[in-house]
Amino acid sequence: MAALQDILQEFHRIAASPQELLKSYLGQGKKVVVCSPVYSPEEIIHSMGLLPFGTWGADMEIREAKAYFPAFICSIMQSILELGIKGAFQGVSAIVVPSLCDSLKCLGQNWKYAVPGIEFIPMTYPQNRNTDYGKEFTKAGYQRVIKDLERITGETFEDGKLHKSIEIYNAHNQAMREFSEYAGNYGAITAADRNAVFKSAYFMEKSEHTALVNQLVDALKATEPGKTKKLRVVTSGILADAKELLAILEDNSIQIVADDMAQESRQYRVDCPPAGTALDSLAGKFAAMGNCSVLYDVNKGRASYITELVQEKRAEGVIYVLTKFCDPEEFDYVIVKKACEEKNIPLLQIEVDRQMVNYEQVRTAVQTFSEMLG
Amino acid sequence: MGEEGKPKYVPDPNSAKAKLGNIAKQHYDNLWVAKEKGEMIGWCASNFPQEIFQTLGLTVCYPENQAAAIAARGGGGRLCEVAEGEGYSNDICAYARISIAYSQVKDIEEQNMPQPDYLLCCNNICNCMIKWYENLAEELNIPMILIDIPFNPDYKVSKEEIAYVKGQFLDAIRQLEEITGKRWSDEKFKEIMKISNRTSKAWLKATSFCKYSPSPLNGFDLMNHMAVAVCARGTLEAAEAFELLAREYEESVKNGTSTFRAEEKHRIMFEGIACWPHLRFTATQLKSRGINLVATIYADAFGFIYDDFDGLIEAYCNVPNAINLEHARDKRIALVRNNNVEGMLVHVNRSCKLWSGFMYEMSRQIAEECSVPLSTFDGDQADPRNFSEAQYETRVQALTEIMEANKGVR
């Protein structure tokens, strides 16, 4: 168990220190590119010898960003801009912002003027993505990113190198899926532990992260899961990152057995398929992605994806972690709620915000949910 | 009732106002006739390329128009609450909440329209449209066609974007033929493109009369007439009515008359969608201070001018909410300059994240470039709860004082 705890500690250390890590990467002469939610093409950045560094904002008070965003834009966008204005990303080469929701479109436009020292690179994805013309447009978006990266960093793109990076990212996907699978069955893995493993992925080179995750999974395999009386729950939403929220889940004996979170498993469900070129392969991955509030889905497959996940993982309920002002998630909630009702799956919606200070309402709701199901 | 004896205002039946009013009314009447005849009805996004369904001869209606009408007639709050009762957050666009609520309630006094058999969505105004229509499609179990026109981070539309939208355009035609059994005709398409251009040109010509001082029109008229630019752009009646409107404005300029029934002391650009539930209050506050609305990007949003198929697609890629800050800013700067705008009143619209999300920065740049004062107010296009009369009045007063000071009127 000692080894397991040591590895977990390492994930916690990494997840808790993005600023220090970024400084250290820059100090080592690495060229870093910030990747904003929801799906930045990290593989391309990685293949050009640059370090993709993910951000989902931070729990903080918003001050400077208020001059750019009205209050009803989600706090993930607000806090990313706030971090940028306050110099948290100083020294990086650029930021990539995919415009998959209306607020992300605005983040890119505001960034140009709020953080003039760090160049904004747009990534424009198609919503009708799984068609020939959709894939071509995805590739055109990638080519635009490549052109900008080459101009800004002086590095060059080669399809062969992208192929190698895709292998690294596919292996990472596999490792993350395996971790999620194991973690759900080990009562000792808390919601905060799980978060640290997923969050740290954004701050590390992926092959290094894969190695650490594989160590963790090996350590888990060597440990008896043990009998746990914790409540088995599936989480869904954009992100569940706040320390207070994670503590509340643990305090109420909630075990996350699987997730449908944008910051977590949605990143790792789909691998790049084999294709003629590596860029085609990457476009193929985006084409195959789904079950996500910012990706067009006329069949609302996400709702049945969640209910099937609940059944498959023998979960007892769903916690829908709604990021305030995230309208894609707010729309999906109603459909997910109905799907859960049809299957008699208990569902709790909690609203979170990166500026939230008081979690008592969330605590009460989780407590009631837990008692109801316990 | 206190109103007895006061004759109801009836516009001259030969006036553009009456004709445009009739087209809007006829639009809804025709929907019911079509429904009764057993025709399939589509619900359609306001900026969906209407050339597609006009060519196919389909009957569609516009949830955005309907939501605006409902909100203007006082039903916005009630329907928003119906949607909220279903679990929709009150942070969601009020048009979407009203529309989704209407799809369940189905019969209201403010503005009915037939329930849809299919949905035509286009996200060149916002991605919120996609979610709204996805939910309608799921709840009503009907097909949805999406023409995805992504937000363009660059100033110009790329050939890759044109190719992507064209691919969808052709797919949409094929899908609609399957859904409705109607057949595409290239000849008809050419004809529709011709009429649409004629309507758009007439509409843009009419709106361009705002450049005259004093303006021959009360800018709020445009907000009303716009409904026709949305729902009947591909029809001859609309083209003729807008041409008549332009002629009337031309005549007014010559005669020195205006539909702005006050002395035009100040000329402003209004930014954003109108606060439909508070239209009278917002308009009166301006009028009472002699402030006329002489520029709004919203009016031009429905003027699509093009020469060919690629040009048509490019026009739909260039609608105000699909373009980057610099492009959006420069269009407004041109409006401010052409129309002698003296101040900007910006509606920070809680319903519209995209329109409001980079509005602060863009407005600052326009105000600075054009040396005009800027005032913002918080509101909502259709949820009456997100607006404060006191705040609006204070902000308008502040703007007025700066405009007066600039003129040395004090």
Side-chain angles (χ1 to χ4, degrees):
Chain A
M1 256 332 247
L4 178 64
Q5 282 309 323
D6 288 346
I7 302 166
L8 283 173
Q9 275 310 315
E10 180 63 359
F11 280 112
H12 279 283
R13 186 190 66 81
I14 295 161
S17 43
Q19 289 279 294
E20 292 80 353
L21 286 165
L22 181 58
K23 266 194 195 147
S24 127
Y25 295 140
L26 293 169
Q28 293 162 33
K30 289 184 178 159
K31 292 180 184 171
V32 179
V33 174
V34 176
C35 293
S36 118
V38 179
Y39 303 111
S40 280
E42 282 200 22
E43 291 90 334
I44 289 174
I45 299 163
H46 185 272
S47 76
M48 292 172 72
L50 308 162
L51 183 70
F53 194 86
T55 182
W56 291 74
D59 289 339
M60 65 196 301
E61 192 188 345
I62 308 296
R63 300 173 78 95
E64 311 292 331
K66 282 182 182 167
Y68 294 88
F69 281 129
F72 49 83
I73 301 294
C74 86
S75 54
I76 298 174
M77 302 302 117
Q78 304 252 15
S79 61
I80 292 174
L81 194 65
E82 184 81 10
L83 289 169
I85 296 171
K86 290 205 167 133
F89 302 121
Q90 208 171 359
V92 307
S93 303
I95 183 170
V96 176
V97 184
S99 52
L100 281 165
C101 74
D102 292 328
S103 301
L104 277 163
K105 295 172 191 174
C106 298
L107 173 63
Q109 298 309 304
N110 283 327
W111 186 275
K112 290 184 277 191
Y113 299 96
V115 196
I118 298 173
E119 207 162 329
F120 153 63
I121 301 179
M123 174 62 216
T124 308
Y125 283 111
Q127 287 292 350
N128 277 317
R129 55 203 181 279
N130 203 2
T131 56
D132 289 343
Y133 49 77
K135 287 179 199 164
E136 282 305 309
F137 191 67
T138 304
K139 272 180 13 188
Y142 291 153
Q143 273 148 359
R144 162 72 198 269
V145 170
I146 290 167
K147 210 171 98 190
D148 282 358
L149 285 173
E150 286 184 334
R151 177 178 54 77
I152 296 164
T153 67
E155 303 297 334
T156 51
F157 172 80
E158 286 173 38
D159 201 69
K161 286 186 178 167
L162 177 59
H163 183 75
K164 287 192 181 117
S165 291
I166 282 176
E167 282 179 355
I168 289 170
Y169 273 75
N170 279 354
H172 183 247
N173 291 350
Q174 174 60 31
M176 296 304 281
R177 291 194 293 259
E178 201 179 5
F179 162 71
S180 180
E181 187 70 38
Y182 272 93
N185 292 321
Y186 284 77
I189 301 287
T190 66
D193 294 335
R194 203 174 181 284
N195 169 266
V197 175
F198 278 103
K199 191 173 178 180
S200 57
Y202 292 96
F203 311 143
M204 281 178 82
E205 191 280 323
K206 287 299 181 291
S207 60
E208 290 174 15
H209 194 256
T210 303
L212 202 57
V213 174
N214 285 340
Q215 273 186 45
L216 177 64
V217 172
D218 287 345
L220 282 173
K221 284 178 181 170
T223 318
E224 271 297 308
K227 290 240 184 270
T228 171
K229 285 188 177 169
K230 288 169 92 176
L231 194 65
R232 297 173 65 84
V233 159
V234 168
T235 51
S236 180
I238 299 292
L239 86 170
D241 183 41
K243 266 191 286 186
E244 294 85 346
L245 169 64
L246 297 167
I248 289 168
L249 295 179
E250 189 58 23
D251 291 349
N252 288 282
S253 284
I254 281 172
Q255 182 74 13
I256 300 172
V257 293
D259 77 85
D260 163 52
M261 304 296 297
Q263 193 208 18
E264 301 174 19
S265 292
R266 283 190 208 168
Q267 301 291 327
Y268 306 114
R269 287 173 189 159
V270 181
D271 292 340
C272 286
T277 68
L279 211 57
D280 281 320
S281 171
L282 194 59
K285 172 184 157 185
F286 185 70
M289 284 167 67
N291 300 328
C292 172
S293 54
V294 297
L295 300 177
Y296 171 50
D297 178 12
V298 71
N299 299 315
K300 288 279 185 188
R302 179 183 173 198
S304 53
Y305 177 83
I306 292 171
T307 57
E308 282 161 21
L309 202 55
V310 166
Q311 281 161 350
E312 186 196 322
K313 304 292 176 194
R314 293 174 290 106
E316 292 153 274
V318 173
I319 298 184
Y320 199 94
V321 186
L322 183 68
T323 297
K324 188 158 177 62
F325 299 123
C326 175
D327 54 346
E329 287 286 317
E330 288 167 349
F331 275 102
D332 277 6
Y333 168 69
V334 181
I335 307 296
V336 170
K337 179 169 80 91
K338 285 185 181 167
C340 286
E341 278 165 4
E342 274 170 25
K343 303 270 180 192
N344 287 318
I345 297 169
L347 169 77
L348 169 70
Q349 187 215 83
I350 48 176
E351 199 172 57
V352 293
D353 188 320
R354 301 224 79 153
Q355 298 180 80
M356 212 153 118
V357 184
N358 188 337
Y359 280 80
E360 285 317 298
Q361 210 174 340
V362 171
R363 181 178 295 280
T364 310
V366 172
Q367 204 170 358
T368 310
F369 186 67
S370 168
E371 281 166 9
M372 207 176 72
L373 300 186
Chain B
M1 294 289 285
E3 293 290 320
E4 279 173 29
K6 188 178 172 184
K8 197 182 166 206
Y9 167 71
V10 181
D12 173 357
N14 293 318
S15 67
K17 184 176 182 176
K19 286 182 190 294
L20 288 164
N22 281 339
I23 292 171
K25 183 180 174 300
Q26 200 66 45
H27 165 71
Y28 283 104
D29 292 348
N30 290 347
L31 292 169
W32 292 107
V33 173
K35 186 78 178 176
E36 283 197 3
K37 281 201 305 201
E39 270 189 45
M40 295 181 89
I41 303 288
W43 277 12
C44 182
S46 62
N47 262 326
F48 186 92
Q50 50 90 27
E51 291 81 355
I52 293 180
F53 56 80
Q54 290 279 5
T55 301
L56 286 165
L58 307 179
T59 307
V60 307
C61 42
Y62 296 87
E64 290 154 76
N65 270 16
Q66 185 204 25
I70 291 169
R73 291 165 196 165
R78 191 181 80 252
L79 285 172
C80 281
E81 282 172 12
V82 170
E84 288 156 25
E86 288 291 305
Y88 287 95
S89 163
N90 61 7
D91 295 325
I92 287 177
C93 160
Y95 278 4
R97 274 179 284 153
I98 290 171
S99 172
I100 288 169
Y102 180 73
S103 74
Q104 294 168 9
V105 175
K106 295 181 173 44
D107 185 19
I108 57 172
E109 61 185 48
E110 291 86 357
Q111 181 65 66
N112 275 328
M113 67 184 196
Q115 292 297 310
D117 299 294
Y118 60 89
L119 301 165
L120 301 177
C121 184
C122 183
N123 60 327
N124 52 359
I125 49 170
C126 61
N127 275 21
C128 175
M129 292 297 305
I130 302 178
K131 303 307 293 182
W132 166 3
Y133 277 53
E134 268 181 5
N135 279 35
L136 281 174
E138 174 68 17
E139 303 260 19
L140 302 172
N141 194 23
I142 54 174
M144 164 177 172
I145 292 170
L146 167 69
I147 292 198
D148 168 39
I149 299 186
F151 181 84
N152 185 6
D154 297 315
Y155 208 93
K156 293 209 164 131
V157 179
S158 67
K159 61 180 192 313
E160 289 81 7
E161 184 172 357
I162 302 252
Y164 170 54
V165 177
K166 196 186 274 183
Q168 298 176 76
F169 203 98
L170 299 174
D171 257 2
I173 293 167
R174 188 185 47 74
Q175 288 176 68
L176 275 170
E177 284 184 331
E178 274 172 26
I179 292 168
T180 66
K182 301 275 176 84
R183 286 287 160 260
W184 181 262
S185 150
D186 282 335
E187 280 309 302
K188 179 102 184 275
F189 181 48
K190 280 182 198 153
E191 182 62 24
I192 294 293
M193 288 203 289
K194 216 166 119 188
I195 299 171
S196 304
N197 264 288
R198 187 176 152 189
T199 309
S200 290
K201 276 181 190 156
W203 165 247
L204 293 176
K205 186 173 179 191
T207 64
S208 77
F209 280 94
C210 287
K211 69 185 174 207
Y212 289 97
S213 294
S215 167
L217 62 144
N218 180 336
F220 278 90
D221 293 354
L222 297 179
M223 307 257 186
N224 292 322
H225 298 330
M226 208 180 325
V228 174
V230 173
C231 72
R233 218 159 47 237
T235 67
L236 265 179
E237 294 78 9
E240 286 166 1
F242 283 133
E243 283 162 0
L244 176 62
L245 186 67
R247 285 199 299 277
E248 286 179 4
Y249 289 155
E250 200 170 1
E251 200 60 27
S252 292
V253 171
K254 280 184 201 154
N255 301 337
T257 56
S258 174
T259 59
F260 185 67
R261 312 256 179 240
E263 184 196 346
E264 186 182 280
K265 290 184 191 160
H266 307 289
R267 300 165 60 81
I268 63 158
M269 176 160 81
F270 184 87
E271 182 64 58
I273 301 175
C275 281
W276 293 114
H278 303 281
L279 193 62
R280 184 185 294 267
F281 180 82
T282 47
T284 308
Q285 286 296 316
L286 296 178
K287 201 170 112 183
S288 64
R289 292 173 173 82
I291 298 174
N292 194 9
L293 189 168
V294 297
T296 164
I297 198 80
Y298 196 27
D300 288 359
F302 298 100
F304 296 91
I305 308 290
Y306 49 82
D307 296 322
D308 54 19
F309 190 19
D310 279 11
L312 180 157
I313 290 171
E314 193 175 343
Y316 281 94
C317 292
N318 266 331
V319 303
N321 275 4
I323 58 179
N324 72 6
L325 186 148
E326 295 76 22
H327 195 180
R329 173 198 65 201
D330 292 350
K331 274 177 180 265
R332 288 162 171 86
I333 287 175
L335 265 178
V336 169
R337 289 190 171 142
N338 290 341
N339 294 9
N340 298 315
V341 165
E342 296 157 354
M344 287 168 64
L345 185 58
V346 175
H347 177 194
V348 181
N349 180 356
R350 200 178 170 96
S351 267
C352 195
K353 291 185 170 63
L354 181 54
W355 206 326
S356 307
F358 60 87
M359 183 56 68
Y360 291 166
E361 175 59 24
M362 184 170 72
S363 304
R364 278 194 292 267
Q365 292 187 19
I366 299 166
E368 193 181 329
E369 177 67 25
C370 301
S371 301
V372 292
L374 160 72
S375 191
T376 65
F377 70 95
D378 301 312
D380 196 289
Q381 62 204 37
D383 187 336
R385 296 166 292 184
N386 297 330
F387 175 81
S388 150
E389 289 190 351
Q391 190 212 41
Y392 182 81
E393 197 171 352
T394 312
R395 300 289 170 90
V396 169
Q397 183 56 31
L399 182 67
T400 312
E401 286 170 16
I402 302 171
M403 289 192 293
E404 280 174 358
N406 286 348
K407 284 180 173 172
V409 171
R410 275 183 181 170

